[in-house]
Amino acid sequence: MDRFRPVADGAPSEEGAPEAPDQHRPDLAAPDLGELLKACGRGDESAFARLYDATSTRVVGLALRVVRDRAQAEEVAQEAFLDIWKNSGRFDPAKGSPLGWLLTIVHRKAVDRVRSAEAATRRDATYHHQNQPVEHDSTAEAATASLEAHRVRQALGDLTEVQRQALELAYFGGYTHTEVATMLELPVGTAKTRIRDGLIRLRDTMGVGS
Amino acid sequence: MSDIDIHALSGAYAVDALDDSERAQFERHLAECPACTSEVASLREASALLAETTLATPSAELRDRVLAGISNVRPLPPVVSQPEPAEATVIALEPRRRRRVVTFLAAAAAAVVIGTGGIVWQQHDDHPSVTYAVIHAPDAQRFTKTFPGGATATVYRSKRLNEAVIVTRDMPAAPSGHAYALWLQQGDAMVPAGLMPNGPDNEVLLHGDAATAAGVGITVEAAGEEPATPQGDVVALFSFDT
C-alpha cells in the first residue's frame, strides 16, 4: 500500500507541531479505515496517525458520553487507541466494519471504566441526571448537523420509548440490562429484550450489518 | 439459563450490558452458536451508529500522547490459525499436589481481606498479548514474592496502560476443588480481577483498573463458582506502595 507509507520529509511534523485534529475532518467516504488498519498491522505509524485523525472525534465523543468526565474520557480513548494499534492486524473485514470494530473496543473500555470501584459514586447518578446533555464543543455541534447523525436520531425516533431508553441507558450509561430493568421499572429479564429489539430496529432502519 | 433465554442476551452483549458471569456464559454460547455470532456482529454495527450522535473534539495533547504511546509497541501478529478463546475458565486441579500447597499457604502472609460487592471477571480475549505490553511498559513496576520451595509470583503494573499482569513460576497447584483467584485492592475493597488458570507457570492479565489499585491479592477459592468477594485463604498480597 504505497499510499499509506509515511509521508515525505517536510510534511507537518507529528511530534513537534501537531496538526489540529480538525484538519482531518472525519469523512465517512475517505480515508478507507480498513486499509489504514491493515497498514497499522504492518507497523505503519503514519497510517495510524491518519486513522486517529479520522476517528478521534467519535472515539473521544463516545468515551466522554459514557464516562462523563473529560480527563477520564481521554484516558479511556488513549487506552483504546493503544489496543486498536496492537490489534490492528487482527481486524477482519469479513466480521464487520472498521469503525464498528474500533468503537466496540472503545465502548468496552469506557464501560469497564465506569463499572470500576473508582467510579462507584457515579452509580448513584439518577436517571434524570443520566439524561442531562454532556457538554460538547463546537466540533460536536457541527457534527450534530451531519447527515449520519441526523439519520441515526431519526431511526432512534422510530423505536418505542422503552426500547430507546433501555438502549441508551445500556450503551451510553454503561448499565447492565438488570440495572436498566430496575431503572425503568421493567419486569426482571425484559430489559435485555427491549435492548435487543431496539438494536434490531435501528440496524434494519439504518441498513447496517446485513 | 435455558438455550432460549441465552439467545436473548445477544443485544445486551453487543452493548456490553451483561454482568461478568453472564458475559462469560454468553461467550461460551457464542463459540458454538453461529446464529448468535452473526447477530451480535450486526447489532454491534448498529450500536456503533449511536456514536455518530456524540462527537467531541479531543485535546491536541491526546493526539501527541496516543502517537507517542504506540511508537514503542509492536502490533500483534495476525491470527493465522483458529485461535483458542483466551478464557479464564476453572480447570480441574490436581489433588496429588495438595500437600505442597498447604505448606505454601502456611507460609503466606496471614491477612484479613475485607471484601465488597464487585465483578467477577474473565480475561479480555480480544488482546491476548497485552501481557507483553504491560511487562515491557516503560513505566512498569515489578513486585515479586518468593515462596518456600522456590515458587515465585511477580506482579507487573503499568499505570499508564492501567493494567497489571501476574507471572507465576513453579506455583504449586491449588488444593483439590479450588483455584487461585486474583484481586485488585481499590481503596478498602478487594475487587475480583480474574482467576488464575491451572498450571505452575502462568502469565495472567488482571482485570480492572490497575492504575488506581493499591495492591494485588491472591486467594484460594472454591473452584466452579467465582466469588464476588474473597472467601478463602490469602496466599499473597502485593502492595503497590513503594
Side-chain angles (χ1 to χ4, degrees):
Chain A
M1 287 307 141
D2 285 348
R3 66 184 188 280
F4 295 123
R5 287 293 116 203
V7 289
D9 292 340
S13 160
E14 279 151 24
E15 289 176 11
E19 301 161 56
D22 62 1
Q23 255 176 272
H24 296 283
R25 291 292 300 279
D27 179 337
L28 290 175
D32 183 330
L33 299 181
E35 290 297 330
L36 290 179
L37 280 174
K38 243 194 268 179
C40 290
R42 295 191 291 262
D44 184 341
E45 294 182 26
S46 140
F48 184 77
R50 295 180 60 195
L51 181 77
Y52 176 91
D53 291 335
T55 60
S56 62
T57 56
R58 285 175 180 79
V59 168
V60 173
L62 176 58
L64 180 60
R65 182 68 186 264
V66 176
V67 307
R68 309 178 69 83
D69 171 271
R70 181 163 276 276
Q72 286 202 51
E74 294 211 346
E75 285 171 24
V76 166
Q78 188 177 352
E79 290 165 17
F81 272 118
L82 182 61
D83 267 10
I84 289 161
W85 166 255
K86 280 188 295 202
N87 290 282
S88 50
R90 299 184 168 186
F91 165 68
D92 181 355
K95 291 180 182 166
S97 72
L99 197 55
W101 177 80
L102 188 145
L103 290 173
T104 297
I105 293 174
V106 176
H107 189 257
R108 176 67 179 272
K109 288 265 177 206
V111 169
D112 283 353
R113 176 63 66 107
V114 293
R115 288 193 196 157
S116 70
E118 180 196 2
T121 51
R122 180 195 156 280
R123 311 305 287 168
D124 298 333
T126 62
Y127 176 55
H128 176 70
H129 179 231
Q130 193 57 224
N131 277 306
Q132 295 304 303
V134 173
E135 187 189 333
H136 286 302
D137 53 26
S138 55
T139 302
E141 284 162 28
T144 58
S146 86
L147 182 60
E148 189 75 348
H150 179 69
R151 287 184 64 216
V152 173
R153 288 208 179 84
Q154 275 204 324
L156 285 172
D158 289 343
L159 271 52
T160 67
E161 185 63 11
V162 69
Q163 285 172 351
R164 189 187 57 74
Q165 285 181 326
L167 179 54
E168 291 189 346
L169 281 172
Y171 192 72
F172 291 134
Y175 296 101
T176 67
H177 70 95
T178 317
E179 291 165 341
V180 170
T182 304
M183 293 164 98
L184 295 179
E185 298 177 333
L186 297 171
V188 175
T190 57
K192 63 175 184 285
T193 313
R194 302 289 169 267
I195 292 166
R196 179 169 174 269
D197 292 347
L199 279 170
I200 287 173
R201 192 178 285 199
L202 181 63
R203 175 194 73 189
D204 294 345
T205 307
M206 297 294 293
V208 294
S210 53
Chain B
M1 187 174 290
S2 76
D3 276 358
I4 293 165
D5 285 342
I6 203 158
H7 293 297
L9 291 177
S10 62
Y13 178 77
V15 294
D16 300 315
L18 297 182
D19 68 37
D20 295 292
S21 68
E22 286 174 322
R23 177 164 53 222
Q25 194 180 8
F26 189 74
E27 284 177 349
R28 283 193 291 276
H29 169 70
L30 271 185
E32 52 199 36
C33 181
C36 279
T37 302
S38 152
E39 180 166 285
V40 163
S42 75
L43 297 183
R44 277 191 164 151
E45 292 295 320
S47 72
L49 292 170
L50 295 171
E52 290 299 319
T53 65
T54 63
L55 309 198
T57 304
S59 64
E61 294 74 29
L62 179 64
R63 190 178 193 276
D64 295 344
R65 289 204 305 272
V66 166
L67 297 184
I70 62 148
S71 60
N72 54 0
V73 176
R74 170 181 175 265
L76 296 170
V79 178
V80 289
S81 59
Q82 201 60 25
E84 286 296 316
E87 218 179 284
T89 47
V90 177
I91 299 163
L93 299 159
E94 301 169 58
R96 65 190 169 80
R97 303 183 74 169
R98 180 169 191 162
R99 190 177 298 160
R100 281 180 68 192
V101 84
V102 172
T103 328
F104 179 53
L105 286 172
V112 178
V113 178
I114 300 160
T116 186
I119 299 166
V120 180
W121 240 84
Q122 302 296 110
Q123 294 298 300
H124 283 286
D125 59 7
D126 49 351
H127 33 82
S129 289
V130 73
T131 52
Y132 179 89
V134 175
I135 292 167
H136 295 90
D139 70 334
Q141 298 165 283
R142 187 169 178 274
F143 308 90
T144 298
K145 296 236 185 259
T146 304
F147 300 101
T152 60
T154 304
V155 172
Y156 297 86
R157 192 260 300 250
S158 164
K159 275 193 172 182
R160 191 171 60 81
L161 299 178
N162 192 25
E163 302 282 12
V165 167
I166 187 161
V167 178
T168 59
R169 292 288 175 259
D170 303 314
M171 192 85 164
S176 177
H178 291 72
Y180 292 117
L182 302 167
W183 309 87
L184 280 173
Q185 186 182 339
Q186 301 284 4
D188 291 326
M190 295 304 272
V191 179
L195 286 172
M196 193 95 90
N198 196 17
D201 300 336
N202 274 303
E203 288 188 8
V204 179
L205 178 67
L206 276 69
H207 174 64
D209 282 349
T212 57
V216 164
I218 310 175
T219 63
V220 173
E221 304 290 350
E225 191 66 48
E226 303 146 324
T229 58
Q231 312 289 323
D233 289 328
V234 176
V235 174
L237 290 174
F238 301 81
S239 169
F240 289 161
D241 284 343
T242 48

Coordinates of all heavy atoms in Angstrom, one line a residue, chain B residues 7 9 13 28 34 41 45 62-63 87 91 104 107 132-133 138 157 162 178 181 195 205-206 210 227 232:
Chain B
H7 N -30.1 -17.0 24.0 CA -30.1 -16.2 22.7 C -30.5 -14.8 22.9 O -30.0 -13.9 22.2 CB -31.0 -16.9 21.7 CG -30.6 -18.3 21.2 ND1 -29.4 -18.4 20.5 CD2 -31.1 -19.5 21.4 CE1 -29.2 -19.7 20.3 NE2 -30.3 -20.4 20.8
L9 N -29.8 -12.8 25.0 CA -28.8 -11.9 25.6 C -27.9 -11.2 24.5 O -27.1 -10.4 24.8 CB -27.8 -12.7 26.5 CG -28.4 -13.2 27.8 CD1 -27.4 -14.0 28.6 CD2 -28.9 -12.0 28.7
Y13 N -25.4 -8.2 25.2 CA -23.9 -8.5 25.0 C -23.3 -7.5 24.0 O -22.2 -7.0 24.2 CB -23.8 -9.9 24.5 CG -22.3 -10.3 24.2 CD1 -21.5 -10.6 25.2 CD2 -21.8 -10.3 22.9 CE1 -20.1 -10.9 25.0 CE2 -20.5 -10.6 22.6 CZ -19.6 -10.9 23.7 OH -18.3 -11.2 23.5
R28 N -19.3 -18.4 26.0 CA -19.2 -19.9 25.8 C -20.3 -20.3 24.8 O -20.0 -21.1 23.9 CB -19.4 -20.6 27.1 CG -18.1 -20.6 28.0 CD -18.2 -21.6 29.1 NE -19.2 -21.2 30.1 CZ -19.0 -20.4 31.1 NH1 -17.8 -19.9 31.3 NH2 -19.9 -20.1 32.0
P34 N -23.4 -20.1 15.7 CA -23.2 -19.2 14.6 C -24.3 -18.1 14.4 O -24.0 -17.0 14.0 CB -23.1 -20.1 13.3 CG -22.9 -21.5 13.9 CD -23.5 -21.5 15.2
A41 N -22.6 -9.5 15.7 CA -21.9 -8.7 14.8 C -22.7 -7.6 14.2 O -22.3 -6.4 14.1 CB -21.2 -9.5 13.7
E45 N -22.7 -3.4 14.9 CA -22.7 -2.3 13.9 C -23.7 -1.3 14.2 O -23.5 -0.1 14.0 CB -22.9 -3.0 12.5 CG -21.8 -3.9 12.0 CD -20.5 -3.1 11.7 OE1 -20.6 -2.0 11.2 OE2 -19.4 -3.7 12.1
L62 N -3.9 14.9 23.5 CA -4.2 13.5 23.4 C -3.6 12.9 22.1 O -3.0 11.8 22.2 CB -5.8 13.3 23.3 CG -6.2 11.8 23.2 CD1 -5.8 11.0 24.4 CD2 -7.7 11.7 22.9
R63 N -3.6 13.6 21.0 CA -3.0 13.1 19.8 C -1.6 12.8 20.0 O -1.0 11.8 19.6 CB -3.2 14.1 18.7 CG -2.9 13.6 17.3 CD -3.1 14.7 16.3 NE -3.1 14.1 14.9 CZ -2.0 14.0 14.2 NH1 -0.8 14.3 14.7 NH2 -2.0 13.5 13.0
E87 N -10.0 -17.7 27.5 CA -11.0 -17.6 28.5 C -10.4 -18.2 29.8 O -9.8 -19.3 29.8 CB -12.2 -18.3 28.1 CG -13.5 -17.7 28.5 CD -14.7 -18.5 28.1 OE1 -15.0 -18.5 26.9 OE2 -15.2 -19.2 28.9
I91 N -10.3 -24.9 35.7 CA -9.9 -26.2 35.2 C -9.7 -27.1 36.4 O -9.3 -26.7 37.5 CB -8.6 -26.1 34.4 CG1 -8.8 -25.1 33.2 CG2 -8.1 -27.4 34.0 CD1 -7.6 -24.6 32.6
F104 N 2.7 -24.1 51.5 CA 2.7 -22.8 50.8 C 1.8 -21.8 51.5 O 2.1 -20.7 51.8 CB 2.2 -23.2 49.3 CG 2.1 -22.0 48.4 CD1 3.2 -21.2 48.2 CD2 1.0 -21.8 47.7 CE1 3.2 -20.1 47.3 CE2 0.9 -20.7 46.8 CZ 2.0 -19.9 46.6
A107 N 2.9 -20.6 54.9 CA 4.0 -19.6 54.9 C 3.6 -18.3 54.4 O 4.3 -17.3 54.6 CB 5.1 -20.2 54.0
Y132 N 2.4 -8.9 27.4 CA 3.7 -8.5 26.9 C 3.9 -7.0 27.1 O 4.9 -6.5 27.6 CB 4.0 -9.0 25.5 CG 5.3 -8.6 25.0 CD1 6.4 -9.5 25.1 CD2 5.5 -7.4 24.3 CE1 7.7 -9.1 24.7 CE2 6.8 -7.0 23.8 CZ 7.8 -7.9 24.0 OH 9.1 -7.6 23.6
A133 N 2.9 -6.3 26.6 CA 3.0 -4.8 26.6 C 3.1 -4.3 28.0 O 3.8 -3.3 28.3 CB 1.8 -4.2 25.9
P138 N 7.4 1.0 29.6 CA 8.4 1.8 30.2 C 8.2 2.2 31.7 O 9.2 2.3 32.4 CB 8.4 3.1 29.4 CG 7.6 2.8 28.1 CD 6.7 1.7 28.5
R157 N 2.9 -3.9 37.1 CA 1.8 -2.9 37.0 C 2.3 -1.7 36.1 O 3.3 -1.1 36.4 CB 1.4 -2.5 38.3 CG 0.0 -1.7 38.4 CD 0.2 -0.2 38.4 NE 0.9 0.3 39.6 CZ 0.3 1.0 40.6 NH1 -1.0 1.2 40.6 NH2 1.0 1.5 41.6
N162 N -2.8 1.2 32.6 CA -3.9 0.9 33.5 C -4.1 -0.7 33.5 O -5.2 -1.1 33.5 CB -5.2 1.6 33.1 CG -6.2 1.5 34.2 OD1 -5.9 1.3 35.4 ND2 -7.5 1.6 33.8
H178 N -10.2 -26.4 44.2 CA -10.0 -25.0 44.4 C -9.2 -24.4 43.3 O -8.6 -25.1 42.5 CB -9.3 -24.7 45.8 CG -10.1 -25.0 47.0 ND1 -10.4 -26.3 47.3 CD2 -10.7 -24.2 47.9 CE1 -11.2 -26.3 48.4 NE2 -11.4 -25.0 48.8
A181 N -7.6 -17.2 43.0 CA -8.4 -16.0 42.5 C -7.5 -14.8 42.7 O -6.7 -14.7 43.7 CB -9.7 -15.9 43.2
L195 N -9.5 -15.2 37.5 CA -9.0 -16.5 38.1 C -7.7 -16.9 37.4 O -7.5 -16.6 36.2 CB -10.0 -17.6 37.9 CG -11.3 -17.5 38.7 CD1 -12.3 -18.5 38.3 CD2 -10.9 -17.7 40.2
L205 N -3.4 -11.5 32.8 CA -3.7 -10.1 32.8 C -4.8 -9.9 33.8 O -5.9 -10.6 33.8 CB -4.2 -9.7 31.5 CG -4.7 -8.2 31.3 CD1 -3.5 -7.3 31.5 CD2 -5.3 -8.0 30.0
L206 N -4.6 -9.1 34.8 CA -5.7 -8.8 35.8 C -6.7 -7.9 35.2 O -6.4 -6.9 34.5 CB -5.1 -8.2 37.0 CG -4.5 -9.2 38.0 CD1 -3.3 -9.8 37.5 CD2 -4.3 -8.5 39.4
A210 N -5.9 -1.1 37.1 CA -4.7 -1.3 37.9 C -4.1 0.0 38.3 O -3.4 0.1 39.3 CB -3.7 -2.1 37.0
P227 N -16.3 -16.1 43.2 CA -16.9 -15.2 44.3 C -16.8 -13.8 44.0 O -15.9 -13.4 43.3 CB -16.1 -15.6 45.5 CG -14.8 -16.0 45.0 CD -15.0 -16.6 43.7
G232 N -11.8 -17.2 50.6 CA -10.8 -18.2 51.1 C -9.5 -17.6 51.7 O -9.5 -16.4 51.9

